[in-house]
Amino acid sequence: MTDLLPAPRRAADPGAVVHDLVGIGIGPFNLALAALADRVEPLRTLFLDRAPTFSWHPGLLLDGTTLQVPFLADLVTLVDPTSPWSFLAYLRAHDRLFPFYFAERLHVPRREYDHYCRWVAEALPACRFGSEVVSVAWEGDLYRIDFRDMADGEHHRVHARHVVLGIGTEPVVPEPFARLLGDSVLHAADYLDHRADLTDAEDVTVLGSGQSGAEVFLDLLRRRTGPSRRLTWLTRSPAFAPMEYSKLGLEHFTPDYTRYFHGLPEPVRDRLLPEQWQLYKAISADTIAAIHDELYERGIAGGRVRATLMPDVTVTTARTTRDGVELGCRHGEQDRAFTVRTDRVVLATGYAQRHPAMLDPLWDLITRDAAGRPLIDLDHRVTLPAHVTGGLYTQNAELHTHGVGTPDLGLGAHRAATILNSVCGNAVYRLPIRTAFTTFGLAAGDTEPARRPHRRSATDPAEVRNVAVEPGSGAHRGRTAAPGRPTRSA
């Protein structure tokens, strides 16, 4: 096993090089961390991902789909608008500033966001793709990260003071379909790979009423125009409901609300999340309008709409038959069972956190809550025993502790800066004290929310500070100035 060391600035001792921070997984959130860390000298970072190149929900990059957050929710802008890795800098590099200016778009195409992230990932020297992490362990006073080069199979090892997990989520397959994935049943994550077959099928059923389910249903509705084509859309939700998008409602996606939610008792947090489904699991109003417009056009002059949309339906059983797939269903409010027979099923049933085997060496060290979930502090740091002095941070794995903003792209840059401030032990990025007009809960003052003391930078607050991360300083537990929506993130 060899040590792989990408041109480090300095070593912790003559015989080894230690990275201050190693990120595992390179999705938008860890990519934001890499982009912001790129301007922090002399921080040594490395980011690893098993994929050969950056790719963001490739199965759902449909033409005409856009982000559900404004373009300012890129990798860096809401923390550092001067960064060379902003979306506007990307447009300038590709000579697209004037077209973007005249397009007057607030929400950019999803395919363009994917290309933007790929542009950043390919330019940052700290990002290494084709590298599968196989083990993360605490060894002495450092993390030991073992990984395999996907091209030649060679194994490598690096050490780090801090580790940031950005491994993403995996598709949720409901239990009735657990053994049925294949040609007849697929998850929406793989939709584009199967779209031609789904277009030709006589009868297709889509399950799930989040944004992905709505986009798949709309795409199939537009493509399947033959008189014999039938399309069914079922969901457990009580309605095909729009995403909460009022200006004050969106303040649930601010650091202010994150701090408030984190401070609530665990049972209250667990009760709140399901009640807030329209904040992060519903459908954009534009997509709902497009679906209704398509159905309306089909009905003109006595046209027949061979589409069924039914909420409050739970699929209790599923089995393949000689003719396709048979679904045993139950309508909630009527408490009645019925059967749906279809040729193909698309599961737009969301994504969930996963426990990769690479974390097994650390699993028993992690402190958990009453439901067995990791305890995660306001700086997104997993609670570990005192002897583990290095930080183990999470990106998009803390819904239960940080609330609905966890998967939201709009909070990605702020969370990355929060983690960097914690790693460095001081505010290398100045973060705002207050970000919402809403006062969430009782506070120390009449109108201001409770917050920790702000630690002011000695330099121009708009600039990034140079920091010295000393050997052995992995125990930094310094707090940020203001710690820190597949969802609004898709």
Side-chain angles (χ1 to χ4, degrees):
M1 184 171 288
T2 60
D3 277 343
L4 184 78
L5 307 166
R9 297 186 180 93
R10 59 187 175 87
D13 62 65
V17 173
V18 175
H19 291 83
D20 299 306
L21 182 156
V22 169
I24 301 174
I26 309 177
F29 294 137
N30 258 359
L31 187 57
L33 182 63
L36 290 173
D38 186 57
R39 304 192 79 188
V40 181
E41 297 282 355
L43 197 69
R44 292 181 302 270
T45 65
L46 177 66
F47 292 81
L48 305 169
D49 196 292
R50 73 185 308 271
T53 186
F54 182 90
S55 184
W56 184 68
H57 296 302
L60 286 169
L61 293 181
L62 303 173
D63 290 340
T65 58
T66 64
L67 293 184
Q68 290 181 270
V69 291
F71 73 91
L72 290 174
D74 61 13
L75 300 172
V76 295
T77 296
L78 288 175
V79 167
D80 181 11
T82 69
S83 171
W85 308 117
S86 71
F87 182 73
L88 290 179
Y90 156 82
L91 291 175
R92 183 180 185 277
H94 292 81
D95 292 332
R96 286 176 57 80
L97 271 174
F98 272 94
F100 182 74
Y101 166 57
F102 291 121
E104 296 185 344
R105 285 176 177 254
L106 185 62
H107 298 83
V108 302
R110 196 177 297 173
R111 289 196 305 116
E112 188 168 30
Y113 177 80
D114 175 71
H115 188 252
Y116 154 66
C117 288
R118 195 177 317 125
W119 173 74
V120 175
E122 291 173 354
L124 288 173
C127 292
R128 179 185 173 96
F129 289 89
S131 302
E132 181 183 32
V133 176
V134 296
S135 177
V136 182
W138 181 252
E139 187 178 74
D141 59 353
L142 295 169
Y143 287 100
R144 186 194 73 224
I145 300 102
D146 295 328
F147 66 95
R148 179 171 64 91
D149 189 299
M150 301 294 287
D152 58 22
E154 186 176 356
H155 286 256
H156 305 276
R157 173 174 291 173
V158 293
H159 290 86
R161 296 188 178 93
H162 304 275
V163 168
V164 183
L165 301 173
I167 56 177
T169 55
E170 62 184 356
V172 170
V173 178
E175 193 280 330
F177 300 94
R179 297 175 180 83
L180 301 184
L181 288 180
D183 294 335
S184 298
V185 178
L186 63 129
H187 194 276
D190 302 315
Y191 173 69
L192 280 181
D193 292 336
H194 296 265
R195 183 162 67 168
D197 176 59
L198 291 166
T199 300
D200 293 338
E202 289 291 315
D203 193 298
V204 177
T205 298
V206 179
L207 298 184
S209 61
Q211 184 65 20
S212 296
E215 289 174 354
V216 167
F217 180 81
L218 177 59
D219 190 62
L220 289 173
L221 187 62
R222 286 170 169 168
R223 296 173 62 85
R224 296 163 50 80
T225 58
S228 64
R229 301 290 192 260
R230 181 164 188 84
L231 188 57
T232 301
W233 189 13
L234 306 176
T235 178
R236 293 185 305 174
S237 299
F240 297 100
M243 188 84 72
E244 166 59 68
Y245 214 77
S246 66
K247 289 179 172 60
L248 289 178
L250 290 180
E251 290 193 343
H252 286 83
F253 301 95
T254 60
D256 283 18
Y257 185 75
T258 298
R259 288 193 293 271
Y260 165 75
F261 186 89
H262 190 273
L264 293 173
E266 180 186 331
V268 178
R269 297 198 303 259
D270 289 346
R271 174 179 57 79
L272 270 177
L273 279 172
E275 297 173 355
Q276 296 175 329
W277 64 277
Q278 276 189 261
L279 286 170
Y280 68 113
K281 286 185 176 182
I283 311 166
S284 77
D286 288 344
T287 305
I288 291 177
I291 291 172
H292 192 275
D293 289 347
E294 189 71 26
L295 293 169
Y296 181 85
E297 290 287 335
R298 295 283 186 89
I300 292 176
R304 186 178 181 187
V305 181
R306 293 182 61 83
T308 299
L309 296 76
M310 186 179 293
D312 196 25
V313 172
T314 299
V315 176
T316 57
T317 64
R319 68 185 185 96
T320 56
T321 68
R322 180 182 304 176
D323 300 321
V325 184
E326 183 178 284
L327 308 179
C329 306
R330 179 166 291 277
H331 190 277
E333 292 179 351
Q334 291 183 322
D335 193 23
R336 291 178 57 184
F338 63 99
T339 301
V340 171
R341 295 175 178 85
T342 186
D343 298 323
R344 302 286 188 271
V345 177
V346 182
L347 303 173
T349 44
Y351 300 81
Q353 299 302 320
R354 53 197 173 107
H355 167 58
M358 67 180 176
L359 292 180
D360 285 348
L362 295 174
W363 202 244
D364 291 339
L365 297 175
I366 296 174
T367 304
R368 309 182 195 288
D369 64 15
R373 301 164 299 195
L375 289 178
I376 303 170
D377 73 14
L378 201 48
D379 289 341
H380 307 276
R381 179 169 174 158
V382 176
T383 302
L384 297 167
H387 76 274
V388 182
T389 54
L392 178 67
Y393 297 86
T394 64
Q395 299 246 45
N396 194 15
E398 62 274 28
L399 186 68
H400 61 291
T401 56
H402 288 64
V404 293
T406 297
D408 190 79
L409 292 177
L411 281 173
H414 188 279
R415 175 169 52 206
T418 297
I419 292 172
L420 281 173
N421 288 351
S422 179
V423 165
C424 296
N426 57 77
V428 296
Y429 281 101
R430 184 182 68 83
L431 298 177
I433 293 175
R434 184 158 189 180
T435 54
F437 291 116
T438 304
T439 297
F440 295 104
L442 298 177
D446 291 334
T447 60
E448 294 190 356
R451 58 181 181 268
R452 286 183 277 183
H454 175 53
R455 195 170 181 177
R456 297 188 180 277
S457 166
T459 62
D460 185 332
E463 296 179 353
V464 180
R465 298 184 61 190
N466 290 339
V467 296
V469 183
E470 300 298 334
S473 64
H476 281 319
R477 298 182 183 269
R479 296 298 186 251
T480 64
R485 267 175 81 257
T487 68
R488 278 178 19 101
S489 63

